Amino acid sequence: MLQRLPKQGGVGTAAASKCPVSTIIWILAAWVLLFQVYTTLYPPPTALTHPKNRVRSIIRYTEYEEPEFNRLPLPPNRNGKKRRPDYIEEFWSSSHKRQIYFPNKSSAIDPLTNNEDDRFYFHPGREWHDSQGRPIQAHGGGILYIPETRTFYWYGENKDGRTYHISKHSTARVDVIGINCYSSTDLWLWKNEGIVLKADERNVSSDLHVSKVVERPKVIYNDKTRKYVMWMHIDNANYSKASVGVAVSLKPEGPFKYLGSAQPHGFDSRDMTVFKDGDGTAYIIYSSEGNSELHVTVLAEDYLGFRNIMSRVLVHGYREAPAVFKHRGLYYMITSGCTGWAPNTALVHSAESMLGSWQLMGNPCVGGNEELRDTTFFSQGTFVLPLPGIPDMFIFMADRWNPYDLRDSRYVWLPLTMDGPADEPLEDVFEFPLWSRVSIHWYQKWKLPQDWDKVQI
Ligand code: GAL
């Protein structure tokens, strides 16, 4: 037996030559197979996964100007160090920063000024005027696209009133004025369609009374009833009613008829959104259990009530301001932390079903500087708009709240791209990296590609 043992040595030695050819072939085949499995699991950083190529794919879609914001040095904090402990405190006490994040009215995006060089450019954070030259009032909003007329409808809170506090420690507020609607075919020039759901000035017990809270309206179209359905957060001034309200209209331009409010399945609900899936199933997603988790509840067929299906997600996550979208059959949700009007870090979660489970993917904000990325570009998300005809590209819509003067809150719209596989494997699960990396890119100035709105869908 001992004599039969081959001597140590590599291929080509006398010992190896005694090895049957079939064994060598099997060994080679095993190596090839192993290599293939490895490269599938850990693709080399080329093609789509390489950060440089990601940037290139965005340039394909957008024209932009190099943001000088990126080069802003981090301002020293009070201890003279290069880092600051609290962005927010520093922001409110620094007029320099306020000028950066809320540039004055002279820099407004105004279609009436007819500045050809600036046409179609989005300037996150600048005042934005409608087709009549008035600042757009559509905060905490969302957009409904109607393919037949190729028209976008932007619904949001009209906060064009005086900012005040009902008590020393309460949050800043304005009286309810109503929900505004604007229409556009190019997403840049918006026509004011007026207040489509008006506040009630007389009836103190009405959900829409001026003293209440009516926030984050979102509209979806019901193909069966052919009605436009608006869901919104309904509350009283101290946010203890914690309900959702629903209104309905025969036309996107309203007027909407208010039908009432409820706590879905008896649970408190504050920041919310709705999402209509490709098969017509619609979901309402809201912060619940004192904002400690989100609930996903299936809406009734007519979208005017709830079905008996609800799922608790992001439990113990303390997330709000949900914005949901779908990409290649998978669901993505961007949320904020719960810090009132003050910005914080966005997170994106993904799931194979709206009811979960939802997996954490991380902070989607890229570009700019650390402060911008840590504060969702100094804003809070409200909606993600798919761009008809441009796959893999969306617009992330956010609010840059100004709690000193809420009517002067600004809009931060930025390109959101799905750029190849995620960088990291998902938490808790071992899966192939099928999930696209969600990236929201900071640009101080950017625009959509020319004629994007003429693409045949
Ligand atoms: C935020 C919420 C806003 C508004 C605000 C009031 O957390 O996202 O929609 O409710 O609080 O402080």
Side-chain angles (χ1 to χ4, degrees):
M1 284 291 282
L2 272 177
Q3 279 159 351
R4 286 225 193 137
L5 273 177
K7 282 187 202 155
Q8 300 244 322
V11 177
T13 63
S17 63
K18 283 184 195 153
C19 201
V21 176
S22 64
T23 310
I24 294 174
I25 290 173
W26 274 113
I27 290 170
L28 279 175
W31 271 109
V32 169
L33 196 69
L34 265 174
F35 180 73
Q36 267 179 351
V37 170
Y38 181 85
T39 48
T40 312
L41 284 175
Y42 307 102
T46 53
L48 280 171
T49 53
H50 198 287
K52 266 193 189 159
N53 290 354
R54 256 190 235 132
V55 173
R56 257 184 240 131
S57 74
I58 295 145
I59 295 170
R60 247 185 22 233
Y61 294 130
T62 56
E63 286 179 44
Y64 72 98
E65 299 232 327
E66 190 58 37
E68 68 217 43
F69 253 83
N70 293 0
R71 295 190 293 272
L72 274 184
L74 291 177
N77 68 15
R78 290 209 182 100
N79 308 326
K81 291 192 189 131
K82 274 280 175 187
R83 285 302 324 272
R84 92 292 312 139
D86 184 347
Y87 298 127
I88 312 312
E89 189 202 328
E90 193 194 345
F91 168 72
W92 299 125
S93 56
S94 145
S95 56
H96 165 71
K97 278 226 170 168
R98 241 182 283 166
Q99 172 56 29
I100 291 177
Y101 288 116
F102 290 86
N104 58 34
K105 295 178 188 307
S106 62
S107 69
I109 310 170
D110 191 339
L112 294 186
T113 57
N114 225 354
N115 179 354
E116 274 305 314
D117 289 346
D118 240 10
R119 227 174 139 60
F120 301 123
Y121 273 102
F122 299 103
H123 293 266
R126 285 198 191 174
E127 201 173 280
W128 191 353
H129 293 175
D130 65 17
S131 56
Q132 291 169 301
R134 294 201 210 107
I136 294 175
Q137 284 291 333
H139 310 282
I143 287 182
L144 172 74
Y145 177 63
I146 302 193
E148 291 74 21
T149 56
R150 292 180 165 237
T151 307
F152 297 89
Y153 291 88
W154 179 6
Y155 303 90
E157 303 157 32
N158 182 336
K159 285 186 135 31
D160 199 6
R162 185 179 66 88
T163 297
Y164 66 97
H165 295 252
I166 51 167
S167 67
K168 203 172 160 208
H169 296 293
S170 65
T171 187
R173 59 165 279 123
V174 294
D175 280 348
V176 179
I177 298 166
I179 302 305
N180 273 355
C181 172
Y182 293 83
S183 63
S184 171
T185 51
D186 59 20
L187 291 171
W188 187 76
L189 176 65
W190 292 91
K191 174 180 172 228
N192 188 355
E193 301 284 352
I195 304 180
V196 292
L197 183 69
K198 282 199 171 68
D200 186 329
E201 290 183 16
R202 292 200 205 137
N203 181 3
V204 199
S205 58
S206 161
D207 283 347
L208 303 180
H209 186 254
V210 290
S211 64
K212 305 289 173 67
V213 165
V214 180
E215 292 181 337
R216 299 192 172 270
K218 303 287 175 300
V219 175
I220 46 177
Y221 177 66
N222 189 301
D223 305 82
K224 288 189 184 144
T225 62
R226 299 191 179 178
K227 286 180 183 157
Y228 297 85
V229 179
M230 178 189 294
W231 283 91
M232 68 213 96
H233 172 191
I234 292 289
D235 231 314
N236 46 19
N238 63 12
Y239 287 85
S240 60
K241 186 176 167 97
S243 301
V244 280
V246 61
V248 71
S249 170
L250 292 171
K251 291 182 291 161
E253 308 89 353
F256 280 77
K257 183 172 184 275
Y258 189 67
L259 302 179
S261 66
Q263 291 199 322
H265 303 303
F267 287 98
D268 59 301
S269 60
R270 292 193 174 84
D271 279 10
M272 47 70 62
T273 193
V274 286
F275 174 75
K276 179 180 166 186
D277 211 341
D279 65 357
T281 309
Y283 302 83
I284 185 159
I285 303 103
Y286 50 92
S287 300
S288 193
E289 299 283 10
N291 283 353
S292 67
E293 59 192 41
L294 287 161
H295 290 182
V296 182
T297 286
V298 183
L299 289 178
E301 247 188 275
D302 59 6
Y303 301 168
L304 301 178
F306 316 109
R307 279 181 63 192
N308 221 1
I309 307 171
M310 185 272 267
S311 166
R312 294 159 181 262
V313 305
L314 278 54
V315 177
H316 307 310
Y318 288 92
R319 307 300 297 170
E320 62 177 13
V324 174
F325 62 101
K326 192 175 185 179
H327 178 253
R328 301 195 184 171
L330 302 172
Y331 302 88
Y332 297 84
M333 172 157 59
I334 297 174
T335 57
S336 77
C338 304
T339 53
W341 302 119
N344 53 58
T345 312
L347 288 179
V348 59
H349 287 78
S350 54
E352 285 175 63
S353 148
M354 274 300 292
L355 297 171
S357 64
W358 287 86
Q359 299 291 325
L360 177 63
M361 297 184 81
N363 179 357
C365 300
V366 297
N369 59 30
E370 194 182 344
E371 177 169 297
L372 286 165
R373 293 190 295 274
D374 283 0
T375 58
T376 321
F377 313 112
F378 221 90
S379 64
Q380 183 185 32
T382 182
F383 196 73
V384 174
L385 175 71
L387 280 175
I390 309 189
D392 301 346
M393 190 177 163
F394 300 76
I395 293 182
F396 174 67
M397 293 167 55
D399 296 287
R400 183 171 288 170
W401 300 112
N402 180 351
Y404 287 153
D405 186 9
L406 283 163
R407 87 176 92 203
D408 187 38
S409 299
R410 307 289 173 87
Y411 309 102
V412 172
W413 286 24
L414 288 167
L416 181 156
T417 56
M418 309 297 288
D419 296 305
D423 292 342
E424 306 280 338
L426 293 181
E427 265 190 345
D428 306 333
V429 282
F430 176 78
E431 277 190 54
F432 286 89
L434 287 177
W435 307 84
S436 294
R437 193 191 190 286
V438 180
S439 306
I440 305 170
H441 306 264
W442 171 254
Y443 296 119
Q444 197 178 8
K445 174 179 182 179
W446 68 283
K447 71 175 174 182
L448 292 163
Q450 211 178 353
D451 294 335
W452 70 272
D453 47 338
K454 316 241 168 10
V455 173
Q456 292 304 318
I457 307 158

